[in-house]
Amino acid sequence: MSRSFGSLEKAGKHCGGLLAMDRRMRPHLPDGHRWNLSDAILDTRRVQRDTQISFAERMAEPLLHIEEGLAYSFTTLPDGRRHVEDLFGSGGVCNWKQSLRAALPYALMLKAGTTITRLDNAAVLREMERDPHLAEAFRRLDLSRQWRLRQRSRTLISGAIHDGLMHVLLDLSFETHGTFGRFDPMPVQMTQEEISTILGSSTVHVNRTVKKLVADGRLRRRSRVFEIVDPDRERQRLAYDTPSFPAIADQPALVKEPSA
């Protein structure tokens, strides 16, 4: 076991740890299709405090599926500052080894209170080979993640800080609920310092921006629970959407990456 998991509490093996994955996969599967990764489940654990996983440890660990909570990937800059890159919430696999990004040297941070189910990578690949619909769903989820990264990068480069912050909150909402289009009030597990590293700004500027969005009636905040007042309008403003995929076929073919 990786030493970075010293703060994890083993909770036992059970299939319920994949319910969040099913919720995220369901739009990418034929109606009524049943899949089963129970043979791949190793155990389920709860993170007691923020836990960092290095690049080497990430590559050595089994697949880490998030049932509830949040993780993010990050790199460390030469001056020691962290740059947060991607966000992983309910139903996400934060070290998916088939992704084109898997070999990039980034580390992971599992936030306190997060529940993960560890999956044997070889067993998952065997089931994907047996079930082409499952393989297709995984490919579509990975492409959707790359699409969201592109959209966020575009907003962070071309938009103002309030645009970037709203985009990050939309992404956090998607990851929290594990499904697109649901924007209920959400607890934000990231600190303002962590969010500031995504935006390339200071915590002071982030705090001021949050207060301005609240004052403008675009955001509600109760302690660490945030609610986007008009998510449809914010999505339209930021051109925040999901990629278009071909209709699900009886015998799925490899999905091509959507154009930018």
Side-chain angles (χ1 to χ4, degrees):
M1 185 187 302
S2 164
R3 67 177 181 276
S4 66
F5 280 99
S7 65
L8 299 183
E9 176 184 352
K10 187 171 181 179
K13 180 177 178 179
H14 63 83
C15 296
L18 299 181
L19 292 176
M21 181 185 287
D22 185 65
R23 184 169 60 247
R24 190 173 287 220
M25 278 190 168
R26 193 49 47 191
H28 304 292
L29 292 167
D31 290 343
H33 182 75
R34 298 177 65 87
W35 56 276
N36 191 336
L37 287 177
S38 59
D39 288 343
I41 296 176
L42 298 175
D43 54 40
T44 297
R45 308 173 176 204
R46 181 177 174 84
V47 180
Q48 299 301 312
R49 57 179 178 270
D50 287 3
T51 302
Q52 180 176 328
I53 305 174
S54 71
F55 168 64
E57 291 168 335
R58 173 176 66 82
M59 296 298 287
E61 283 293 333
L63 298 179
L64 304 176
H65 163 255
I66 298 179
E67 174 62 25
E68 184 179 23
L70 185 73
Y72 61 80
S73 60
F74 69 93
T75 54
T76 303
L77 302 177
D79 62 2
R81 291 180 299 132
R82 288 178 180 173
H83 171 63
V84 176
E85 296 178 339
D86 202 3
L87 310 169
F88 304 88
S90 179
V93 177
C94 56
N95 62 337
W96 179 237
K97 301 180 189 299
Q98 307 310 115
S99 172
L100 296 175
R101 299 181 65 252
L104 297 179
Y106 61 83
L108 292 172
M109 179 65 73
L110 304 180
K111 296 298 290 180
T114 295
T115 300
I116 62 169
T117 299
R118 300 196 311 159
L119 304 171
D120 180 76
N121 186 60
V124 171
L125 293 179
R126 285 194 299 269
E127 186 60 22
M128 288 172 60
E129 185 175 356
R130 190 197 68 80
D131 183 352
H133 286 297
L134 179 65
E136 176 89 341
F138 270 118
R139 283 193 291 266
R140 291 187 179 211
L141 286 174
D142 189 46
L143 289 174
S144 295
R145 181 168 295 282
Q146 306 312 316
W147 183 260
R148 290 197 300 278
L149 279 170
R150 285 183 179 184
Q151 289 189 128
R152 191 188 315 143
S153 296
R154 177 194 63 206
T155 299
L156 293 177
I157 291 171
S158 62
I161 185 171
H162 57 82
D163 294 321
L165 178 57
M166 187 59 71
H167 200 121
V168 169
L169 291 174
L170 286 167
D171 279 342
L172 283 171
S173 181
F174 176 91
E175 294 297 334
T176 297
H177 301 305
T179 182
F180 189 81
R182 180 180 169 188
F183 298 100
D184 300 337
M186 60 178 174
V188 175
Q189 293 179 264
M190 300 184 76
T191 65
Q192 286 196 2
E193 182 178 2
E194 289 168 327
I195 292 175
S196 72
T197 67
I198 303 177
L199 301 176
S201 185
S202 67
T203 55
V204 172
H205 203 175
V206 170
N207 187 47
R208 288 174 180 169
T209 304
V210 169
K211 290 180 178 179
K212 182 68 165 56
L213 289 173
V214 171
D216 290 345
R218 296 171 60 187
L219 188 68
R220 297 190 186 101
R221 179 185 182 185
R222 296 182 298 278
S223 185
R224 299 188 71 171
V225 176
F226 287 71
E227 181 181 6
I228 301 170
V229 174
D230 190 344
D232 289 336
R233 182 181 179 186
E234 300 297 348
R235 285 173 54 190
Q236 185 176 17
R237 286 183 61 258
L238 298 171
Y240 185 97
D241 58 13
T242 57
S244 298
F245 290 113
I248 299 172
D250 291 337
Q251 294 296 326
L254 179 65
V255 178
K256 294 182 180 179
E257 184 174 0
S259 58

